[in-house]
Amino acid sequence: MLGVPEAQDVFVREERRREGIGEAVMLAVERAVTGRGHRQVSLSYGIANTAARRFYKRLGYRHAGIEPQRVQGTIIVRSGPLEVDDTLIYLVKDLA
Ligand SMILES: CC(C)(COP(=O)(O)OP(=O)(O)OC[C@H]1O[C@@H](n2cnc3c(N)ncnc32)[C@H](O)[C@@H]1OP(=O)(O)O)[C@@H](O)C(=O)NCCC(=O)NCCS
């Protein structure tokens, strides 16, 4: 989404999941985004990723109105090149 900051690479070590770390990370992301003057934050997750779907729904993310996108090959995210073969669902959250 043009001009909307995008959260990428949200990852919690497997042995520390369901402790609220992911939620704390996303709230910190949202504070940082708001602090820079933005009113929305966006992200995407793989269509089969049920944990991510529930996680983001609970945090108030909604469909961004973008068709799910089939992505295959190497994409560049902040942490570097990433091999992807997935259908991505795009979400957005309006920040207070
Ligand atoms: C998605 C992810 C970041 C969640 O991190 P987390 O620290 O486990 O999440 P939290 O403990 O803050 O969970 C908050 C809520 O999200 C929902 N949730 C999180 N993981 C879930 C799961 N596996 N199944 C169902 N609901 C889940 C629950 O409502 C949970 O609250 P609860 O534990 O009280 O029921 C983590 O599972 C992860 O790193 N996954 C691999 C990478 C990934 O898929 N990243 C996101 C896609 S880009």
PDB file of all heavy atoms in Angstrom, residues 32-70:
ATOM      1  N   ALA A  32       5.598   3.212  17.207  1.00  0.00           N
ATOM      2  CA  ALA A  32       6.671   3.817  16.403  1.00  0.00           C
ATOM      3  C   ALA A  32       6.087   4.469  15.144  1.00  0.00           C
ATOM      4  O   ALA A  32       6.477   5.574  14.753  1.00  0.00           O
ATOM      5  CB  ALA A  32       7.712   2.760  16.030  1.00  0.00           C
ATOM      6  N   VAL A  33       5.147   3.776  14.524  1.00  0.00           N
ATOM      7  CA  VAL A  33       4.530   4.283  13.295  1.00  0.00           C
ATOM      8  C   VAL A  33       3.733   5.560  13.596  1.00  0.00           C
ATOM      9  O   VAL A  33       3.840   6.568  12.883  1.00  0.00           O
ATOM     10  CB  VAL A  33       3.625   3.175  12.687  1.00  0.00           C
ATOM     11  CG1 VAL A  33       2.677   3.741  11.657  1.00  0.00           C
ATOM     12  CG2 VAL A  33       4.488   2.066  12.082  1.00  0.00           C
ATOM     13  N   THR A  34       2.958   5.527  14.681  1.00  0.00           N
ATOM     14  CA  THR A  34       2.178   6.701  15.076  1.00  0.00           C
ATOM     15  C   THR A  34       3.118   7.868  15.384  1.00  0.00           C
ATOM     16  O   THR A  34       2.870   9.007  14.988  1.00  0.00           O
ATOM     17  CB  THR A  34       1.325   6.386  16.323  1.00  0.00           C
ATOM     18  OG1 THR A  34       0.540   5.234  16.042  1.00  0.00           O
ATOM     19  CG2 THR A  34       0.393   7.528  16.664  1.00  0.00           C
ATOM     20  N   GLY A  35       4.222   7.554  16.066  1.00  0.00           N
ATOM     21  CA  GLY A  35       5.194   8.581  16.441  1.00  0.00           C
ATOM     22  C   GLY A  35       5.825   9.264  15.246  1.00  0.00           C
ATOM     23  O   GLY A  35       6.329  10.384  15.342  1.00  0.00           O
ATOM     24  N   ARG A  36       5.794   8.588  14.103  1.00  0.00           N
ATOM     25  CA  ARG A  36       6.334   9.193  12.876  1.00  0.00           C
ATOM     26  C   ARG A  36       5.249   9.870  12.051  1.00  0.00           C
ATOM     27  O   ARG A  36       5.467  10.232  10.899  1.00  0.00           O
ATOM     28  CB  ARG A  36       7.042   8.136  12.044  1.00  0.00           C
ATOM     29  CG  ARG A  36       8.303   7.644  12.725  1.00  0.00           C
ATOM     30  CD  ARG A  36       9.013   6.621  11.902  1.00  0.00           C
ATOM     31  NE  ARG A  36      10.141   6.075  12.652  1.00  0.00           N
ATOM     32  CZ  ARG A  36      11.107   5.372  12.103  1.00  0.00           C
ATOM     33  NH1 ARG A  36      11.098   5.127  10.818  1.00  0.00           N
ATOM     34  NH2 ARG A  36      12.086   4.910  12.840  1.00  0.00           N
ATOM     35  N   GLY A  37       4.064   9.977  12.633  1.00  0.00           N
ATOM     36  CA  GLY A  37       3.018  10.756  11.980  1.00  0.00           C
ATOM     37  C   GLY A  37       2.115   9.970  11.042  1.00  0.00           C
ATOM     38  O   GLY A  37       1.298  10.563  10.337  1.00  0.00           O
ATOM     39  N   HIS A  38       2.234   8.640  11.037  1.00  0.00           N
ATOM     40  CA  HIS A  38       1.355   7.848  10.157  1.00  0.00           C
ATOM     41  C   HIS A  38       0.097   7.430  10.904  1.00  0.00           C
ATOM     42  O   HIS A  38       0.104   7.315  12.123  1.00  0.00           O
ATOM     43  CB  HIS A  38       2.089   6.600   9.659  1.00  0.00           C
ATOM     44  CG  HIS A  38       3.278   6.920   8.826  1.00  0.00           C
ATOM     45  ND1 HIS A  38       3.174   7.228   7.485  1.00  0.00           N
ATOM     46  CD2 HIS A  38       4.596   6.997   9.137  1.00  0.00           C
ATOM     47  CE1 HIS A  38       4.395   7.472   7.008  1.00  0.00           C
ATOM     48  NE2 HIS A  38       5.271   7.343   7.986  1.00  0.00           N
ATOM     49  N   ARG A  39      -0.945   7.174  10.143  1.00  0.00           N
ATOM     50  CA  ARG A  39      -2.226   6.789  10.754  1.00  0.00           C
ATOM     51  C   ARG A  39      -2.637   5.366  10.420  1.00  0.00           C
ATOM     52  O   ARG A  39      -3.693   4.907  10.832  1.00  0.00           O
ATOM     53  CB  ARG A  39      -3.319   7.751  10.293  1.00  0.00           C
ATOM     54  CG  ARG A  39      -3.035   9.109  10.833  1.00  0.00           C
ATOM     55  CD  ARG A  39      -4.087  10.113  10.483  1.00  0.00           C
ATOM     56  NE  ARG A  39      -3.875  11.280  11.335  1.00  0.00           N
ATOM     57  CZ  ARG A  39      -4.801  11.798  12.097  1.00  0.00           C
ATOM     58  NH1 ARG A  39      -5.996  11.265  12.153  1.00  0.00           N
ATOM     59  NH2 ARG A  39      -4.535  12.857  12.823  1.00  0.00           N
ATOM     60  N   GLN A  40      -1.813   4.685   9.647  1.00  0.00           N
ATOM     61  CA  GLN A  40      -2.107   3.292   9.299  1.00  0.00           C
ATOM     62  C   GLN A  40      -0.814   2.495   9.272  1.00  0.00           C
ATOM     63  O   GLN A  40       0.262   3.050   9.025  1.00  0.00           O
ATOM     64  CB  GLN A  40      -2.722   3.203   7.895  1.00  0.00           C
ATOM     65  CG  GLN A  40      -4.155   3.677   7.798  1.00  0.00           C
ATOM     66  CD  GLN A  40      -4.726   3.373   6.426  1.00  0.00           C
ATOM     67  OE1 GLN A  40      -4.082   3.628   5.414  1.00  0.00           O
ATOM     68  NE2 GLN A  40      -5.922   2.815   6.391  1.00  0.00           N
ATOM     69  N   VAL A  41      -0.950   1.200   9.514  1.00  0.00           N
ATOM     70  CA  VAL A  41       0.181   0.295   9.316  1.00  0.00           C
ATOM     71  C   VAL A  41      -0.341  -0.924   8.555  1.00  0.00           C
ATOM     72  O   VAL A  41      -1.494  -1.326   8.732  1.00  0.00           O
ATOM     73  CB  VAL A  41       0.853  -0.085  10.668  1.00  0.00           C
ATOM     74  CG1 VAL A  41      -0.098  -0.799  11.590  1.00  0.00           C
ATOM     75  CG2 VAL A  41       2.110  -0.906  10.450  1.00  0.00           C
ATOM     76  N   SER A  42       0.494  -1.479   7.681  1.00  0.00           N
ATOM     77  CA  SER A  42       0.066  -2.600   6.853  1.00  0.00           C
ATOM     78  C   SER A  42       1.009  -3.783   7.058  1.00  0.00           C
ATOM     79  O   SER A  42       2.098  -3.643   7.626  1.00  0.00           O
ATOM     80  CB  SER A  42       0.065  -2.197   5.378  1.00  0.00           C
ATOM     81  OG  SER A  42       1.386  -1.956   4.947  1.00  0.00           O
ATOM     82  N   LEU A  43       0.582  -4.935   6.598  1.00  0.00           N
ATOM     83  CA  LEU A  43       1.437  -6.130   6.630  1.00  0.00           C
ATOM     84  C   LEU A  43       0.794  -7.204   5.769  1.00  0.00           C
ATOM     85  O   LEU A  43      -0.339  -7.058   5.301  1.00  0.00           O
ATOM     86  CB  LEU A  43       1.609  -6.628   8.073  1.00  0.00           C
ATOM     87  CG  LEU A  43       0.340  -6.870   8.886  1.00  0.00           C
ATOM     88  CD1 LEU A  43      -0.222  -8.251   8.626  1.00  0.00           C
ATOM     89  CD2 LEU A  43       0.636  -6.686  10.360  1.00  0.00           C
ATOM     90  N   SER A  44       1.523  -8.287   5.563  1.00  0.00           N
ATOM     91  CA  SER A  44       0.952  -9.416   4.841  1.00  0.00           C
ATOM     92  C   SER A  44       1.382 -10.704   5.520  1.00  0.00           C
ATOM     93  O   SER A  44       2.380 -10.731   6.243  1.00  0.00           O
ATOM     94  CB  SER A  44       1.405  -9.407   3.382  1.00  0.00           C
ATOM     95  OG  SER A  44       2.801  -9.558   3.299  1.00  0.00           O
ATOM     96  N   TYR A  45       0.588 -11.754   5.292  1.00  0.00           N
ATOM     97  CA  TYR A  45       0.948 -13.072   5.836  1.00  0.00           C
ATOM     98  C   TYR A  45       0.517 -14.138   4.835  1.00  0.00           C
ATOM     99  O   TYR A  45      -0.357 -13.903   3.993  1.00  0.00           O
ATOM    100  CB  TYR A  45       0.297 -13.301   7.213  1.00  0.00           C
ATOM    101  CG  TYR A  45      -1.201 -13.459   7.164  1.00  0.00           C
ATOM    102  CD1 TYR A  45      -1.781 -14.717   7.053  1.00  0.00           C
ATOM    103  CD2 TYR A  45      -2.034 -12.346   7.204  1.00  0.00           C
ATOM    104  CE1 TYR A  45      -3.162 -14.869   6.998  1.00  0.00           C
ATOM    105  CE2 TYR A  45      -3.411 -12.493   7.155  1.00  0.00           C
ATOM    106  CZ  TYR A  45      -3.964 -13.749   7.044  1.00  0.00           C
ATOM    107  OH  TYR A  45      -5.327 -13.895   6.979  1.00  0.00           O
ATOM    108  N   GLY A  46       1.116 -15.315   4.937  1.00  0.00           N
ATOM    109  CA  GLY A  46       0.810 -16.425   4.034  1.00  0.00           C
ATOM    110  C   GLY A  46      -0.576 -16.975   4.310  1.00  0.00           C
ATOM    111  O   GLY A  46      -0.969 -17.140   5.476  1.00  0.00           O
ATOM    112  N   ILE A  47      -1.304 -17.274   3.257  1.00  0.00           N
ATOM    113  CA  ILE A  47      -2.722 -17.632   3.356  1.00  0.00           C
ATOM    114  C   ILE A  47      -2.988 -18.815   4.290  1.00  0.00           C
ATOM    115  O   ILE A  47      -4.041 -18.885   4.915  1.00  0.00           O
ATOM    116  CB  ILE A  47      -3.289 -17.883   1.931  1.00  0.00           C
ATOM    117  CG1 ILE A  47      -4.803 -17.939   1.958  1.00  0.00           C
ATOM    118  CG2 ILE A  47      -2.689 -19.136   1.299  1.00  0.00           C
ATOM    119  CD1 ILE A  47      -5.436 -17.783   0.580  1.00  0.00           C
ATOM    120  N   ALA A  48      -2.037 -19.735   4.417  1.00  0.00           N
ATOM    121  CA  ALA A  48      -2.241 -20.923   5.254  1.00  0.00           C
ATOM    122  C   ALA A  48      -1.821 -20.704   6.713  1.00  0.00           C
ATOM    123  O   ALA A  48      -1.944 -21.607   7.542  1.00  0.00           O
ATOM    124  CB  ALA A  48      -1.477 -22.101   4.668  1.00  0.00           C
ATOM    125  N   ASN A  49      -1.359 -19.521   7.008  1.00  0.00           N
ATOM    126  CA  ASN A  49      -0.813 -19.234   8.334  1.00  0.00           C
ATOM    127  C   ASN A  49      -1.944 -18.851   9.316  1.00  0.00           C
ATOM    128  O   ASN A  49      -2.228 -17.678   9.559  1.00  0.00           O
ATOM    129  CB  ASN A  49       0.224 -18.111   8.228  1.00  0.00           C
ATOM    130  CG  ASN A  49       1.014 -17.932   9.502  1.00  0.00           C
ATOM    131  OD1 ASN A  49       0.612 -18.395  10.563  1.00  0.00           O
ATOM    132  ND2 ASN A  49       2.143 -17.244   9.397  1.00  0.00           N
ATOM    133  N   THR A  50      -2.573 -19.889   9.873  1.00  0.00           N
ATOM    134  CA  THR A  50      -3.717 -19.680  10.761  1.00  0.00           C
ATOM    135  C   THR A  50      -3.331 -18.876  12.004  1.00  0.00           C
ATOM    136  O   THR A  50      -4.094 -18.030  12.471  1.00  0.00           O
ATOM    137  CB  THR A  50      -4.272 -21.052  11.215  1.00  0.00           C
ATOM    138  OG1 THR A  50      -4.503 -21.820  10.048  1.00  0.00           O
ATOM    139  CG2 THR A  50      -5.551 -20.922  11.981  1.00  0.00           C
ATOM    140  N   ALA A  51      -2.144 -19.157  12.541  1.00  0.00           N
ATOM    141  CA  ALA A  51      -1.695 -18.438  13.741  1.00  0.00           C
ATOM    142  C   ALA A  51      -1.634 -16.940  13.453  1.00  0.00           C
ATOM    143  O   ALA A  51      -2.135 -16.118  14.231  1.00  0.00           O
ATOM    144  CB  ALA A  51      -0.329 -18.957  14.189  1.00  0.00           C
ATOM    145  N   ALA A  52      -1.050 -16.582  12.298  1.00  0.00           N
ATOM    146  CA  ALA A  52      -0.929 -15.163  11.946  1.00  0.00           C
ATOM    147  C   ALA A  52      -2.313 -14.550  11.737  1.00  0.00           C
ATOM    148  O   ALA A  52      -2.584 -13.427  12.183  1.00  0.00           O
ATOM    149  CB  ALA A  52      -0.079 -15.003  10.692  1.00  0.00           C
ATOM    150  N   ARG A  53      -3.198 -15.292  11.078  1.00  0.00           N
ATOM    151  CA  ARG A  53      -4.544 -14.752  10.821  1.00  0.00           C
ATOM    152  C   ARG A  53      -5.228 -14.401  12.149  1.00  0.00           C
ATOM    153  O   ARG A  53      -5.753 -13.307  12.327  1.00  0.00           O
ATOM    154  CB  ARG A  53      -5.378 -15.767  10.042  1.00  0.00           C
ATOM    155  CG  ARG A  53      -6.809 -15.301   9.808  1.00  0.00           C
ATOM    156  CD  ARG A  53      -7.530 -16.150   8.775  1.00  0.00           C
ATOM    157  NE  ARG A  53      -7.534 -17.577   9.069  1.00  0.00           N
ATOM    158  CZ  ARG A  53      -8.297 -18.171   9.990  1.00  0.00           C
ATOM    159  NH1 ARG A  53      -9.133 -17.459  10.732  1.00  0.00           N
ATOM    160  NH2 ARG A  53      -8.236 -19.480  10.179  1.00  0.00           N
ATOM    161  N   ARG A  54      -5.176 -15.323  13.093  1.00  0.00           N
ATOM    162  CA  ARG A  54      -5.835 -15.077  14.387  1.00  0.00           C
ATOM    163  C   ARG A  54      -5.134 -13.984  15.174  1.00  0.00           C
ATOM    164  O   ARG A  54      -5.769 -13.152  15.819  1.00  0.00           O
ATOM    165  CB  ARG A  54      -5.865 -16.365  15.197  1.00  0.00           C
ATOM    166  CG  ARG A  54      -6.761 -17.383  14.531  1.00  0.00           C
ATOM    167  CD  ARG A  54      -6.992 -18.565  15.427  1.00  0.00           C
ATOM    168  NE  ARG A  54      -7.845 -19.531  14.750  1.00  0.00           N
ATOM    169  CZ  ARG A  54      -7.878 -20.821  15.027  1.00  0.00           C
ATOM    170  NH1 ARG A  54      -7.103 -21.310  15.970  1.00  0.00           N
ATOM    171  NH2 ARG A  54      -8.668 -21.632  14.378  1.00  0.00           N
ATOM    172  N   PHE A  55      -3.813 -14.033  15.125  1.00  0.00           N
ATOM    173  CA  PHE A  55      -2.986 -13.062  15.844  1.00  0.00           C
ATOM    174  C   PHE A  55      -3.327 -11.631  15.384  1.00  0.00           C
ATOM    175  O   PHE A  55      -3.625 -10.764  16.211  1.00  0.00           O
ATOM    176  CB  PHE A  55      -1.522 -13.418  15.565  1.00  0.00           C
ATOM    177  CG  PHE A  55      -0.508 -12.452  16.080  1.00  0.00           C
ATOM    178  CD1 PHE A  55      -0.291 -12.306  17.440  1.00  0.00           C
ATOM    179  CD2 PHE A  55       0.275 -11.721  15.201  1.00  0.00           C
ATOM    180  CE1 PHE A  55       0.673 -11.432  17.920  1.00  0.00           C
ATOM    181  CE2 PHE A  55       1.238 -10.848  15.663  1.00  0.00           C
ATOM    182  CZ  PHE A  55       1.435 -10.703  17.025  1.00  0.00           C
ATOM    183  N   TYR A  56      -3.333 -11.417  14.074  1.00  0.00           N
ATOM    184  CA  TYR A  56      -3.564 -10.057  13.567  1.00  0.00           C
ATOM    185  C   TYR A  56      -5.019  -9.633  13.713  1.00  0.00           C
ATOM    186  O   TYR A  56      -5.302  -8.454  13.943  1.00  0.00           O
ATOM    187  CB  TYR A  56      -3.100  -9.945  12.110  1.00  0.00           C
ATOM    188  CG  TYR A  56      -1.603 -10.024  11.982  1.00  0.00           C
ATOM    189  CD1 TYR A  56      -1.001 -10.956  11.131  1.00  0.00           C
ATOM    190  CD2 TYR A  56      -0.779  -9.176  12.714  1.00  0.00           C
ATOM    191  CE1 TYR A  56       0.378 -11.035  11.026  1.00  0.00           C
ATOM    192  CE2 TYR A  56       0.600  -9.249  12.614  1.00  0.00           C
ATOM    193  CZ  TYR A  56       1.167 -10.175  11.766  1.00  0.00           C
ATOM    194  OH  TYR A  56       2.538 -10.246  11.672  1.00  0.00           O
ATOM    195  N   LYS A  57      -5.928 -10.593  13.585  1.00  0.00           N
ATOM    196  CA  LYS A  57      -7.346 -10.248  13.748  1.00  0.00           C
ATOM    197  C   LYS A  57      -7.580  -9.728  15.161  1.00  0.00           C
ATOM    198  O   LYS A  57      -8.234  -8.719  15.382  1.00  0.00           O
ATOM    199  CB  LYS A  57      -8.215 -11.475  13.476  1.00  0.00           C
ATOM    200  CG  LYS A  57      -9.682 -11.153  13.529  1.00  0.00           C
ATOM    201  CD  LYS A  57     -10.548 -12.307  13.140  1.00  0.00           C
ATOM    202  CE  LYS A  57     -12.010 -11.828  13.179  1.00  0.00           C
ATOM    203  NZ  LYS A  57     -12.946 -12.931  13.241  1.00  0.00           N
ATOM    204  N   ARG A  58      -7.036 -10.442  16.138  1.00  0.00           N
ATOM    205  CA  ARG A  58      -7.208 -10.036  17.524  1.00  0.00           C
ATOM    206  C   ARG A  58      -6.623  -8.650  17.784  1.00  0.00           C
ATOM    207  O   ARG A  58      -7.119  -7.896  18.626  1.00  0.00           O
ATOM    208  CB  ARG A  58      -6.549 -11.069  18.437  1.00  0.00           C
ATOM    209  CG  ARG A  58      -6.602 -10.674  19.879  1.00  0.00           C
ATOM    210  CD  ARG A  58      -6.143 -11.790  20.743  1.00  0.00           C
ATOM    211  NE  ARG A  58      -5.232 -11.283  21.744  1.00  0.00           N
ATOM    212  CZ  ARG A  58      -5.064 -11.832  22.921  1.00  0.00           C
ATOM    213  NH1 ARG A  58      -5.706 -12.929  23.231  1.00  0.00           N
ATOM    214  NH2 ARG A  58      -4.223 -11.326  23.779  1.00  0.00           N
ATOM    215  N   LEU A  59      -5.573  -8.318  17.045  1.00  0.00           N
ATOM    216  CA  LEU A  59      -4.946  -7.003  17.226  1.00  0.00           C
ATOM    217  C   LEU A  59      -5.666  -5.897  16.456  1.00  0.00           C
ATOM    218  O   LEU A  59      -5.243  -4.746  16.480  1.00  0.00           O
ATOM    219  CB  LEU A  59      -3.477  -7.070  16.779  1.00  0.00           C
ATOM    220  CG  LEU A  59      -2.553  -7.864  17.703  1.00  0.00           C
ATOM    221  CD1 LEU A  59      -1.184  -8.043  17.062  1.00  0.00           C
ATOM    222  CD2 LEU A  59      -2.409  -7.157  19.052  1.00  0.00           C
ATOM    223  N   GLY A  60      -6.724  -6.255  15.735  1.00  0.00           N
ATOM    224  CA  GLY A  60      -7.528  -5.224  15.074  1.00  0.00           C
ATOM    225  C   GLY A  60      -7.182  -4.961  13.620  1.00  0.00           C
ATOM    226  O   GLY A  60      -7.625  -3.953  13.057  1.00  0.00           O
ATOM    227  N   TYR A  61      -6.429  -5.856  13.010  1.00  0.00           N
ATOM    228  CA  TYR A  61      -6.105  -5.683  11.583  1.00  0.00           C
ATOM    229  C   TYR A  61      -7.276  -6.162  10.740  1.00  0.00           C
ATOM    230  O   TYR A  61      -7.977  -7.094  11.114  1.00  0.00           O
ATOM    231  CB  TYR A  61      -4.821  -6.452  11.228  1.00  0.00           C
ATOM    232  CG  TYR A  61      -3.604  -5.745  11.775  1.00  0.00           C
ATOM    233  CD1 TYR A  61      -3.281  -5.834  13.126  1.00  0.00           C
ATOM    234  CD2 TYR A  61      -2.837  -4.928  10.958  1.00  0.00           C
ATOM    235  CE1 TYR A  61      -2.204  -5.143  13.657  1.00  0.00           C
ATOM    236  CE2 TYR A  61      -1.750  -4.238  11.472  1.00  0.00           C
ATOM    237  CZ  TYR A  61      -1.438  -4.348  12.819  1.00  0.00           C
ATOM    238  OH  TYR A  61      -0.374  -3.654  13.331  1.00  0.00           O
ATOM    239  N   ARG A  62      -7.478  -5.505   9.595  1.00  0.00           N
ATOM    240  CA  ARG A  62      -8.563  -5.869   8.684  1.00  0.00           C
ATOM    241  C   ARG A  62      -8.005  -5.981   7.268  1.00  0.00           C
ATOM    242  O   ARG A  62      -6.902  -5.488   6.983  1.00  0.00           O
ATOM    243  CB  ARG A  62      -9.675  -4.825   8.738  1.00  0.00           C
ATOM    244  CG  ARG A  62      -9.171  -3.445   8.337  1.00  0.00           C
ATOM    245  CD  ARG A  62     -10.279  -2.413   8.287  1.00  0.00           C
ATOM    246  NE  ARG A  62      -9.751  -1.065   8.115  1.00  0.00           N
ATOM    247  CZ  ARG A  62      -9.369  -0.532   6.953  1.00  0.00           C
ATOM    248  NH1 ARG A  62      -9.443  -1.238   5.835  1.00  0.00           N
ATOM    249  NH2 ARG A  62      -8.898   0.702   6.893  1.00  0.00           N
ATOM    250  N   HIS A  63      -8.799  -6.603   6.402  1.00  0.00           N
ATOM    251  CA  HIS A  63      -8.346  -6.759   5.021  1.00  0.00           C
ATOM    252  C   HIS A  63      -8.112  -5.392   4.384  1.00  0.00           C
ATOM    253  O   HIS A  63      -8.908  -4.474   4.559  1.00  0.00           O
ATOM    254  CB  HIS A  63      -9.347  -7.582   4.214  1.00  0.00           C
ATOM    255  CG  HIS A  63      -9.199  -9.045   4.507  1.00  0.00           C
ATOM    256  ND1 HIS A  63      -8.227  -9.819   3.901  1.00  0.00           N
ATOM    257  CD2 HIS A  63      -9.833  -9.848   5.376  1.00  0.00           C
ATOM    258  CE1 HIS A  63      -8.298 -11.046   4.388  1.00  0.00           C
ATOM    259  NE2 HIS A  63      -9.256 -11.103   5.285  1.00  0.00           N
ATOM    260  N   ALA A  64      -7.031  -5.297   3.645  1.00  0.00           N
ATOM    261  CA  ALA A  64      -6.635  -4.008   3.085  1.00  0.00           C
ATOM    262  C   ALA A  64      -7.384  -3.680   1.797  1.00  0.00           C
ATOM    263  O   ALA A  64      -7.203  -2.603   1.235  1.00  0.00           O
ATOM    264  CB  ALA A  64      -5.130  -4.000   2.826  1.00  0.00           C
ATOM    265  N   GLY A  65      -8.204  -4.616   1.326  1.00  0.00           N
ATOM    266  CA  GLY A  65      -8.919  -4.352   0.074  1.00  0.00           C
ATOM    267  C   GLY A  65      -8.048  -4.626  -1.138  1.00  0.00           C
ATOM    268  O   GLY A  65      -8.323  -4.145  -2.239  1.00  0.00           O
ATOM    269  N   ILE A  66      -6.995  -5.393  -0.920  1.00  0.00           N
ATOM    270  CA  ILE A  66      -6.099  -5.782  -2.019  1.00  0.00           C
ATOM    271  C   ILE A  66      -6.301  -7.280  -2.234  1.00  0.00           C
ATOM    272  O   ILE A  66      -6.358  -8.036  -1.261  1.00  0.00           O
ATOM    273  CB  ILE A  66      -4.635  -5.497  -1.643  1.00  0.00           C
ATOM    274  CG1 ILE A  66      -4.429  -4.000  -1.436  1.00  0.00           C
ATOM    275  CG2 ILE A  66      -3.670  -6.053  -2.681  1.00  0.00           C
ATOM    276  CD1 ILE A  66      -3.086  -3.646  -0.832  1.00  0.00           C
ATOM    277  N   GLU A  67      -6.412  -7.691  -3.479  1.00  0.00           N
ATOM    278  CA  GLU A  67      -6.570  -9.121  -3.784  1.00  0.00           C
ATOM    279  C   GLU A  67      -5.374  -9.899  -3.227  1.00  0.00           C
ATOM    280  O   GLU A  67      -4.230  -9.422  -3.307  1.00  0.00           O
ATOM    281  CB  GLU A  67      -6.599  -9.319  -5.309  1.00  0.00           C
ATOM    282  CG  GLU A  67      -7.908  -8.899  -5.947  1.00  0.00           C
ATOM    283  CD  GLU A  67      -9.088  -9.739  -5.456  1.00  0.00           C
ATOM    284  OE1 GLU A  67      -8.990 -10.979  -5.534  1.00  0.00           O
ATOM    285  OE2 GLU A  67     -10.076  -9.149  -4.994  1.00  0.00           O
ATOM    286  N   PRO A  68      -5.608 -11.117  -2.689  1.00  0.00           N
ATOM    287  CA  PRO A  68      -4.482 -11.960  -2.287  1.00  0.00           C
ATOM    288  C   PRO A  68      -3.519 -12.114  -3.474  1.00  0.00           C
ATOM    289  O   PRO A  68      -3.961 -12.191  -4.616  1.00  0.00           O
ATOM    290  CB  PRO A  68      -5.156 -13.302  -1.970  1.00  0.00           C
ATOM    291  CG  PRO A  68      -6.544 -12.947  -1.599  1.00  0.00           C
ATOM    292  CD  PRO A  68      -6.907 -11.754  -2.440  1.00  0.00           C
ATOM    293  N   GLN A  69      -2.257 -12.101  -3.169  1.00  0.00           N
ATOM    294  CA  GLN A  69      -1.262 -12.069  -4.243  1.00  0.00           C
ATOM    295  C   GLN A  69      -0.350 -13.284  -4.211  1.00  0.00           C
ATOM    296  O   GLN A  69       0.238 -13.575  -3.163  1.00  0.00           O
ATOM    297  CB  GLN A  69      -0.429 -10.796  -4.103  1.00  0.00           C
ATOM    298  CG  GLN A  69       0.211 -10.351  -5.389  1.00  0.00           C
ATOM    299  CD  GLN A  69       0.929  -9.027  -5.213  1.00  0.00           C
ATOM    300  OE1 GLN A  69       0.389  -8.090  -4.634  1.00  0.00           O
ATOM    301  NE2 GLN A  69       2.162  -8.974  -5.667  1.00  0.00           N
ATOM    302  N   ARG A  70      -0.269 -13.959  -5.325  1.00  0.00           N
ATOM    303  CA  ARG A  70       0.638 -15.097  -5.441  1.00  0.00           C
ATOM    304  C   ARG A  70       2.052 -14.544  -5.611  1.00  0.00           C
ATOM    305  O   ARG A  70       2.301 -13.765  -6.538  1.00  0.00           O
ATOM    306  CB  ARG A  70       0.234 -15.921  -6.666  1.00  0.00           C
ATOM    307  CG  ARG A  70       1.059 -17.139  -6.877  1.00  0.00           C
ATOM    308  CD  ARG A  70       0.407 -18.352  -6.226  1.00  0.00           C
ATOM    309  NE  ARG A  70       1.232 -19.525  -6.454  1.00  0.00           N
ATOM    310  CZ  ARG A  70       2.001 -20.057  -5.519  1.00  0.00           C
ATOM    311  NH1 ARG A  70       2.050 -19.551  -4.305  1.00  0.00           N
ATOM    312  NH2 ARG A  70       2.717 -21.122  -5.787  1.00  0.00           N
TER     313      ARG A  70
END
